[in-house]
Amino acid sequence: MTLNNYLPNETDLENVKATPQAVQSTNETSHQPIDGLDYKVLFEEGDCLIESEDGPEFAIEKNGVYTMHYDKDEQEYFASRKSLCTPLYVKSVKRNRTEGDLVVRIAYRLQNEWYETDIPSSEINEGIASKLTRLGVVINPTPGNKSHIAHYIMLLIKETKFESIHDHVGFRSNQETHNLDSSIMFNHHSQELERNSDGKVSVKESTVSHIYQKALMPKGDLEELRTNLHPLLEYNEVKFALAIGFSSMLHGYLKLFKPDLLNYIVHFHGNSSTGKTTAARLAVSVNGNPFKSPLKASWNWTLNALLKVIENNYGLTVLFDESSMASRDAADLIYQFSDGEERGRLNRSAGQRERSKFATICVSTGEQSLKDLDRRGRNVQNAGLSVRAIEVTDIAFMPNREVAESVAQIVQQYHGLLGPVFAEKLLHYHPEQIIETWETVRSEYEQSVGVQSNYVNRLSPMFATLEMAFSIAHNHVLLTDEHTEMDETEKLVFRNFLLDIFKAQLTNIDHSGAAYDRLKNFIVENIRKFKYSDYLPNTTQTFGKITMKAKSRGYEVFILQDILEKFFREAGYTSPLVVLKEWRGKGLVKSEQDRLTARVKGLSDGRLTGYCIIFEQGTFDDYLQDSSGIQSSLFDAQLSKPRISRLQPHEIKRTKPIISEEPSMNESIDLSIDVELPPQDEDDI
């Protein structure tokens, strides 16, 4: 099943607009209903009846609201002698499409001036009278008037056209338990697209919350945007930026059915004037204005502010600009953002505080790597961060100056146009079709990368989403009638572009390999602090012992526990146990099955705890004495007198290595307590 070539033959979109109910009203004599009622004008110029199925209920007159009563003898309705309250009416009603709650805007007159207040419909009961009284509304204290006030307001709500609003943007469902046949909504600036359970797609008017009003307001003409973009689609860098913008929408859609998917950050890391900010703005412009909050934020903001800006965002790309301005750890934000939910906190009354939730993609820029954003000033080496934040560092984010200027101009003139069109096309597919195609693309990436690793499985969803989103957008959103879809060659070229980024990220994640190389350099730099054969360190500090294995001519390096732990800390490895376990899995750590540490004799009067690391043949040949007894260049100079005053005579004469070629586990290795450092990623342990 090929998703890219699938589209329904006929659109099912229908413009569904609610029609206002007629408010029944009368004049003073005939009480005939009139349409197009303006309550404010009525209070100033005329009279009106508010009726229900049981008949007239209230009368609006210049000086206030009156209740209506039925006279059995006269067989007609008449207004009460005293008013219910001073002039008061419902100006507008907003209905939250997700929760179904109503917010009522009530207008009231106080000393010939009109004022307004918003009241949730849940508060419209007898208690509403007390709130209105505090605002200055005069209510007649006649028994029963409190309930009359609530009833009057509810009747006006019934006769008022609801203004539909949504407090979230992107893809959501009205149902807590979502399945393939559930309805799906996409909310944008003033539109609400919905795929019903029967598969039909409709569009309704729906106002976004004031937080997103300016950021999501569409600008420009869609056809002009397509025409201007088309010449730039030959560049992979432009495709990549657009892919990020569309992938956030596909990601928000997929999260409805795959809640375990991680939100991810794409970080453009490089020198100034390489086009990274221009590319990031192009990604954000798919759905809105990349210069306006909440689609744009800064790393200089507090953690709570950054999490708040993405609250209730389920598919719109957000820009975090200038990582070099950050004054906090990036790790905390990355983990919470990736999980899609703010960390739980208690309020002042020790209750659980409501947490922000989101499901989107963030594009980040800066001359500084996210790994460098650590309050202790170290470069964080953590695989958990690397599978959540893709660092793109070795490409030109814009291919040349001319393209960068064209993109910058497009972003200024057009934004917020492509996203709703993409959402409409996406909703016309059956969810099962979307998921099936996505799984296929993901498997192809895992096979194409050519590496067997758990990290491949963690990164493949991100790259599958990028490619699939752009493929749909290119063929069904970006093209004009004059252009054709991407051919197989173009698809392959773009996939190879993404695969290069994928493989570069895998290289960055191989922290165990990088740590092994760094430790090798560390040992070479401190070679005089290790005991070797008859050589004793000249300094008062000893790091460990180096022993050559006779047959393989490889090296076993015993490093004291505190020395290796300090090495990991200073190198930025927040989970050294993970690294050590990966080393042991590769046969690079000599220990028993349930321990990583070893204990040896020969460096002091007793046994010392440390780690025994294996290095291949020739690793330290240029730095240590070879088998012929000829010193290498590092030891050509005359050594100072060995420090032997604290050693026993029989220890001075010993030349046999402490760790033998085939050691007995009972004699030469005694396990000690493992290093216990707090894990940074629960998946790593």
Side-chain angles (χ1 to χ4, degrees):
M1 184 180 299
T2 304
L3 180 62
N4 297 330
N5 298 327
Y6 170 80
L7 270 181
N9 294 326
E10 297 181 359
T11 179
D12 292 322
L13 287 177
E14 299 175 359
N15 292 320
V16 181
K17 298 183 179 180
T19 56
Q21 299 179 10
V23 179
Q24 297 181 352
S25 55
T26 67
N27 56 34
E28 188 174 0
T29 55
S30 63
H31 299 296
Q32 295 298 317
I34 58 176
D35 295 326
L37 198 60
D38 187 332
Y39 291 103
K40 186 175 180 179
V41 173
L42 287 174
F43 276 117
E44 295 174 352
E45 299 179 358
D47 300 334
C48 172
L49 285 182
I50 305 299
E51 300 185 6
S52 68
E53 296 177 355
D54 298 327
E57 298 270 2
F58 301 95
I60 291 178
E61 298 185 6
K62 293 182 180 181
N63 63 337
V65 179
Y66 292 80
T67 56
M68 299 294 295
H69 300 280
Y70 182 70
D71 189 321
K72 293 182 179 180
D73 296 334
E74 299 292 335
Q75 295 187 348
E76 66 178 32
Y77 289 89
F78 66 93
S80 60
R81 184 174 60 86
K82 293 183 178 182
S83 66
L84 172 64
C85 64
T86 51
L88 169 78
Y89 69 92
V90 172
K91 184 176 182 179
S92 63
V93 180
K94 294 182 178 181
R95 183 174 186 272
N96 187 307
R97 285 285 290 132
T98 306
E99 305 296 336
D101 299 337
L102 299 178
V103 177
V104 183
R105 170 147 289 204
I106 293 179
Y108 59 95
R109 191 169 69 189
L110 177 63
Q111 296 181 350
N112 295 323
E113 294 289 337
W114 285 94
Y115 300 89
E116 298 177 1
T117 184
D118 288 334
I119 300 177
S121 60
S122 58
E123 297 182 9
I124 300 177
N125 47 42
E126 290 190 11
I128 191 67
S130 299
K131 183 171 184 177
L132 293 174
T133 301
R134 290 196 300 269
L135 296 175
V137 178
V138 179
I139 299 176
N140 194 302
T142 303
N145 275 2
K146 291 183 178 181
S147 59
H148 284 319
I149 283 285
H151 184 51
Y152 166 68
I153 293 175
M154 291 303 298
L155 285 178
L156 292 186
I157 291 174
K158 180 182 177 182
E159 302 297 339
T160 302
K161 177 184 176 181
F162 293 176
E163 181 183 354
S164 182
I165 63 171
H166 47 265
D167 57 3
H168 70 269
V169 291
F171 289 99
R172 294 299 290 158
S173 172
N174 285 330
Q175 301 172 332
E176 293 185 5
T177 304
H178 197 76
N179 56 58
L180 295 175
D181 295 322
S182 300
S183 63
I184 307 171
M185 292 188 303
F186 176 81
N187 291 331
H188 199 256
H189 179 259
S190 57
Q191 284 185 329
E192 176 186 285
L193 285 77
E194 182 175 8
R195 177 188 173 88
N196 299 316
S197 57
D198 59 2
K200 292 184 177 181
V201 179
S202 62
V203 59
K204 302 177 183 177
E205 292 182 358
S206 182
T207 305
V208 73
S209 65
H210 69 280
I211 299 174
Y212 279 94
Q213 275 292 335
K214 292 183 179 180
L216 296 189
M217 183 175 294
K219 181 181 180 181
D221 180 77
L222 178 60
E223 290 305 319
E224 290 180 3
L225 172 58
R226 286 170 170 163
T227 301
N228 293 332
L229 266 179
H230 184 263
L232 304 176
L233 295 180
E234 64 176 287
Y235 300 103
N236 284 324
E237 295 83 357
V238 175
K239 292 179 181 178
F240 182 46
L242 289 169
I244 295 172
F246 291 114
S247 71
S248 64
M249 302 178 69
L250 179 57
H251 175 78
Y253 182 98
L254 290 170
K255 283 277 284 187
L256 295 174
F257 309 97
K258 293 180 171 292
D260 57 329
L261 283 178
L262 298 177
N263 301 329
Y264 59 92
I265 295 176
V266 181
H267 182 58
F268 292 165
H269 171 209
N271 293 328
S272 179
S273 303
T274 56
K276 54 185 181 294
T277 301
T278 302
R281 287 172 177 168
L282 179 59
V284 177
S285 71
V286 167
N287 273 297
N289 191 336
F291 303 96
K292 296 286 186 182
S293 178
L295 295 186
K296 177 185 179 295
S298 171
W299 279 104
N300 193 36
W301 293 10
T302 64
L303 174 62
N304 289 338
L306 289 174
L307 291 174
K308 196 67 178 178
V309 83
I310 55 177
E311 184 178 25
N312 294 329
N313 184 338
Y314 299 93
L316 277 58
T317 310
V318 180
L319 168 60
F320 288 173
D321 206 11
E322 293 300 336
S323 62
S324 56
M325 296 177 62
S327 57
R328 76 198 61 78
D329 287 354
D332 201 6
L333 171 67
I334 292 173
Y335 273 93
Q336 292 189 59
F337 175 81
S338 177
D339 292 340
E341 190 171 23
E342 183 184 12
R343 180 184 292 113
R345 290 183 292 172
L346 299 180
N347 55 29
R348 293 182 178 180
S349 59
Q352 185 67 40
R353 183 175 170 180
E354 187 173 353
R355 294 183 283 180
S356 300
K357 296 182 180 180
F358 34 83
T360 189
I361 305 303
C362 170
V363 57
S364 169
T365 67
E367 298 179 26
Q368 190 175 18
S369 169
L370 296 184
K371 296 178 182 179
D372 293 333
L373 302 186
D374 181 79
R375 61 175 175 266
R376 289 171 289 273
R378 64 185 179 181
N379 184 278
V380 179
Q381 304 294 332
N382 189 311
L385 296 181
S386 297
V387 296
R388 291 167 167 84
I390 304 173
E391 298 223 6
V392 186
T393 61
D394 56 353
I395 67 171
F397 303 101
M398 285 286 110
N400 55 56
R401 179 179 177 180
E402 290 74 18
V403 172
E405 291 176 351
S406 298
V407 170
Q409 187 175 8
I410 287 174
V411 169
Q412 288 279 359
Q413 296 178 352
Y414 311 94
H415 47 71
L417 299 170
L418 300 173
V421 181
F422 180 82
E424 174 197 331
K425 301 300 180 183
L426 206 59
L427 289 174
H428 276 92
Y429 297 115
H430 191 280
E432 187 174 359
Q433 206 171 5
I434 297 285
I435 296 171
E436 180 183 342
T437 304
W438 180 83
E439 291 284 6
T440 300
V441 177
R442 178 184 177 182
S443 298
E444 291 174 355
Y445 266 93
E446 292 177 356
Q447 295 172 7
S448 299
V449 77
V451 177
Q452 296 295 326
S453 168
N454 291 333
Y455 301 132
V456 172
N457 299 331
R458 299 283 291 276
L459 289 173
S460 60
M462 307 177 189
F463 288 89
T465 304
L466 284 166
E467 180 180 311
M468 179 176 167
F470 181 75
S471 180
I472 297 174
H474 183 277
N475 295 339
H476 304 307
V477 179
L478 298 176
L479 290 187
T480 64
D481 295 336
E482 301 175 359
H483 304 108
T484 59
E485 299 179 354
M486 283 196 303
D487 57 31
E488 293 303 319
T489 302
E490 290 178 293
K491 292 179 181 178
L492 182 60
V493 169
F494 185 56
R495 171 171 290 190
N496 289 334
F497 178 86
L498 294 178
L499 278 172
D500 289 341
I501 299 175
F502 195 157
K503 293 174 182 178
Q505 188 69 10
L506 285 175
T507 302
N508 293 333
I509 295 177
D510 186 16
H511 297 300
S512 65
Y516 187 73
D517 292 335
R518 294 183 70 169
L519 179 61
K520 187 187 305 180
N521 294 334
F522 173 81
I523 294 171
V524 171
E525 292 171 2
N526 297 276
I527 199 75
R528 288 182 177 271
K529 296 179 182 180
F530 286 86
K531 181 178 179 182
Y532 173 71
S533 188
D534 288 336
Y535 169 73
L536 298 176
N538 295 324
T539 62
T540 57
Q541 186 180 19
T542 301
F543 284 6
K545 179 178 175 61
I546 301 176
T547 304
M548 178 184 288
K549 299 175 68 176
K551 291 184 178 180
S552 66
R553 294 188 61 82
Y555 289 95
E556 293 179 353
V557 180
F558 175 81
I559 306 177
L560 294 175
Q561 185 173 8
D562 59 338
I563 299 298
L564 189 60
E565 290 175 4
K566 182 180 179 181
F567 161 80
F568 279 127
R569 286 195 303 270
E570 294 180 350
Y573 291 91
T574 56
S575 300
L577 279 180
V578 175
V579 175
L580 287 166
K581 288 179 180 178
E582 290 191 14
W583 286 355
R584 185 172 65 178
K586 298 176 182 178
L588 301 177
V589 175
K590 194 170 185 178
S591 69
E592 290 187 352
Q593 294 181 355
D594 59 341
R595 299 283 182 172
L596 291 169
T597 55
R599 299 189 68 189
V600 303
K601 297 184 295 183
L603 293 175
S604 67
D605 294 338
R607 291 176 177 267
L608 293 178
T609 302
Y611 299 90
C612 185
I613 313 299
I614 310 299
F615 293 90
E616 63 182 4
Q617 177 182 350
T619 302
F620 304 113
D621 286 356
D622 293 337
Y623 309 99
L624 297 174
Q625 183 180 16
D626 61 23
S627 59
S628 64
I630 301 176
Q631 297 286 354
S632 64
S633 59
L634 183 63
F635 292 98
D636 281 346
Q638 179 65 36
L639 296 178
S640 59
K641 184 178 180 181
R643 176 173 49 88
I644 61 175
S645 58
R646 288 179 293 175
L647 302 178
Q648 298 299 324
H650 67 277
E651 292 180 326
I652 300 173
K653 297 178 181 178
R654 177 179 299 169
T655 59
K656 184 179 180 181
I658 297 300
I659 303 178
S660 62
E661 178 186 351
E662 299 295 337
S664 169
M665 300 303 288
N666 295 329
E667 293 180 2
S668 61
I669 296 183
D670 183 14
L671 302 180
S672 181
I673 301 175
D674 282 337
V675 183
E676 295 295 341
L677 296 178
Q680 300 298 310
D681 183 355
E682 62 182 3
D683 295 331
D684 289 339
I685 302 302

